[in-house]
């Protein structure tokens, strides 16, 4: 059976009514082809342009190695001047990525180049856009966003492969306790179903983003991303209207994250071993019970 991936819905343009009824309310992903074509960024955001605007600021970089159990989440692997990093990803494949780059702090000029799609929905966190850069073949591990926001993710200067899974599949995806990411010992792009049988039969959605494509990811959707070219994206975030989702976000960002960091700091490998065993046990139980239903 394997992992069952269906193609994502793709539209050129979309009205607010259609977006609300087909995607926002039922929380279904969609790719919007023309949204970013209206932005100055569609023409301006080349590698040379962002290199010029951002300059030689030092940025944290992340690789594809399994996370250090003693380190807080999102601890960088190394650092590099931004201009040198852009040269690197244009020159050769690398697994180094820039994660959650803040354009306001480092390159305020970029804020003039994109427009939040407020004609489709409200609740945008205008002061908190995030940019992501990756070299060819670099991978963003399987996770869902800790703040539980809706995300409009627009890609530039290359291609990106994306796999998406509804939140209801979290146990079958081997979610680690007190975390928003999955067990890092398997490759969702080529899983070993004998070793990780709960993945067999998991259902998801797949898409390939090109320059200017915008992916709408509703709150709670798990996502895995692979850069097929050295390229970059920007994510614009918006709150869900549900107070339950907001409460979940606050819990993730405060209580859960703090508890996880404390346990990592105090118990290191012992705590991580427990988390991994718990993820496997929970996944096997979910498979046995036929979840999700």
């Amino acid at each position: 059976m394997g992992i069952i991936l269906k193609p994502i819905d793709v539209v050129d343009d979309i009205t607010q009514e259609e977006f609300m009824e087909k995607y926002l309310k039922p929380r279904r992903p969609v790719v919007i082809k023309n949204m970013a074509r209206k932005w100055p960024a569609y023409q301006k955001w080349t590698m040379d342009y962002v290199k010029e605007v951002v300059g030689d600021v030092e940025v944290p970089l992340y690789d594809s190695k399994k996370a250090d159990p003693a380190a807080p989440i999102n601890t960088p692997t190394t650092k590099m001047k931004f201009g040198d990093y852009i040269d690197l990803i244009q020159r050769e494949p690398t697994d180094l990525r820039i994660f959650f780059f803040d354009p306001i702090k480092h390159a305020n000029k970029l804020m003039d180049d994109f427009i939040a799609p407020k004609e489709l929905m409200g609740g945008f966190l205008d002061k908190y856009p995030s940019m992501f850069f990756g070299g060819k073949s670099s991978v963003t591990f399987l996770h869902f966003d800790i703040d539980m926001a809706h995300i409009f993710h627009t890609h530039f200067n290359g291609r990106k492969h994306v796999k998406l899974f509804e939140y209801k599949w979290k146990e079958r995806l081997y979610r680690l306790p007190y975390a928003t990411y999955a067990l890092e010992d398997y490759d969702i792009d080529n899983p070993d179903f004998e070793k990780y049988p709960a993945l067999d039969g998991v259902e998801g959605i797949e898409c390939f983003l090109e320059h200017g494509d915008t992916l709408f990811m509703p709150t709670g959707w798990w996502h895995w991303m692979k850069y097929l070219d050295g390229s970059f994206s920007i994510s614009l975030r918006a709150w869900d209207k549900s107070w339950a989702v907001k409460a979940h976000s606050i819990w993730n960002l405060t209580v859960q994250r703090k508890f996880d960091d404390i346990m990592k700091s105090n118990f290191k490998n012992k705590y991580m071993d427990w988390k991994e065993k718990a993820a496997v046990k929970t996944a096997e139980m979910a498979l046995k019970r036929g979840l999700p239903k």
Side-chain angles (χ1 to χ4, degrees):
M1 185 185 301
I3 293 176
I4 303 165
L5 294 173
K6 296 180 180 179
I8 199 169
D9 286 359
V10 179
V11 300
D12 289 330
D13 298 287
I14 193 166
T15 65
Q16 183 186 60
E17 181 180 12
E18 185 180 11
F19 177 74
M20 289 283 189
E21 293 302 316
K22 289 187 176 181
Y23 303 107
L24 184 59
K25 289 181 180 178
R27 295 178 179 169
R28 290 177 55 211
V30 61
V31 170
I32 306 171
K33 300 289 289 185
N34 290 339
M35 191 182 86
R37 290 175 182 265
K38 305 164 190 172
W39 299 357
Y42 184 76
Q43 298 292 339
K44 291 171 66 176
W45 281 14
T46 63
M47 291 290 193
D48 288 340
Y49 178 76
V50 294
K51 179 180 174 181
E52 176 187 349
V53 172
V54 177
D56 280 335
V57 61
E58 190 173 65
V59 292
L61 301 176
Y62 303 82
D63 62 19
S64 300
K65 294 178 182 176
K66 188 174 180 179
D68 180 350
I73 190 170
N74 298 337
T75 300
T77 302
T78 186
K79 294 182 179 180
M80 185 183 293
K81 288 184 178 180
F82 181 77
D84 292 339
Y85 175 75
I86 293 298
D87 290 340
L88 173 65
I89 65 174
Q90 290 188 94
R91 184 176 64 245
E92 60 191 64
T94 175
D95 69 343
L96 293 174
R97 296 175 291 112
I98 295 178
F99 181 77
F100 267 116
F101 178 68
D102 183 351
I104 295 176
K105 182 178 179 181
H106 299 291
N108 192 56
K109 187 176 179 180
L110 295 174
M111 293 292 292
D112 299 330
D113 294 340
F114 59 87
I115 305 164
K118 295 180 181 179
E119 73 280 5
L120 296 182
M121 66 173 293
F124 280 93
L125 304 170
D126 291 340
K127 295 183 179 180
Y128 302 98
S130 301
M131 296 185 72
F132 304 83
F133 294 74
K136 181 179 180 180
S137 300
S138 63
V139 172
T140 303
F141 59 80
L142 186 62
H143 69 287
F144 66 94
D145 282 25
I146 193 169
D147 62 357
M148 303 296 289
H150 297 299
I151 302 167
F152 290 82
H153 186 80
T154 303
H155 197 60
F156 294 92
N157 284 272
R159 300 166 298 145
K160 180 183 278 187
H161 183 192
V162 183
K163 296 184 180 184
L164 300 155
F165 303 91
E166 277 190 85
Y167 186 73
K168 68 181 183 180
W169 290 99
K170 58 186 180 297
E171 290 92 355
R172 294 275 296 274
L173 292 171
Y174 295 84
R175 176 188 174 179
L176 292 170
Y178 306 108
T180 59
Y181 54 96
L183 190 69
E184 295 177 70
D185 293 330
Y186 70 84
D187 178 4
I188 194 66
D189 203 33
N190 186 29
D192 182 341
F193 295 112
E194 289 189 8
K195 192 171 182 180
Y196 303 102
L199 295 173
D200 197 10
V202 168
E203 299 174 6
I205 293 174
E206 182 175 39
C207 66
F208 293 85
L209 299 178
E210 299 180 343
H211 179 81
D213 288 351
T214 299
L215 167 64
F216 169 66
M217 287 189 291
T219 176
W221 275 73
W222 289 75
H223 43 286
W224 168 95
M225 298 182 175
K226 182 175 184 178
Y227 290 82
L228 303 181
D229 306 290
S231 49
F232 61 92
S233 307
I234 185 169
S235 284
L236 307 180
R237 317 175 83 77
W239 283 119
D240 190 273
K241 288 185 176 181
S242 166
W243 284 104
V245 173
K246 290 184 174 76
H248 193 172
S249 171
I250 293 169
W251 171 269
N252 288 346
L253 289 164
T254 56
V255 179
Q256 178 175 278
R257 173 178 275 184
K258 186 65 175 177
F259 174 81
D260 197 50
D261 284 346
I262 291 172
M263 294 296 287
K264 284 180 179 178
S265 177
N266 288 325
F267 299 102
K268 298 180 173 64
N269 286 325
K270 184 176 181 181
Y271 175 60
M272 200 63 192
D273 289 344
W274 170 81
K275 288 179 67 163
E276 292 180 350
K277 290 176 182 177
V280 170
K281 184 176 180 179
T282 299
E284 291 174 350
M285 289 177 61
L287 177 63
K288 187 176 181 178
R289 294 168 60 193
L291 298 178
K293 295 181 178 178

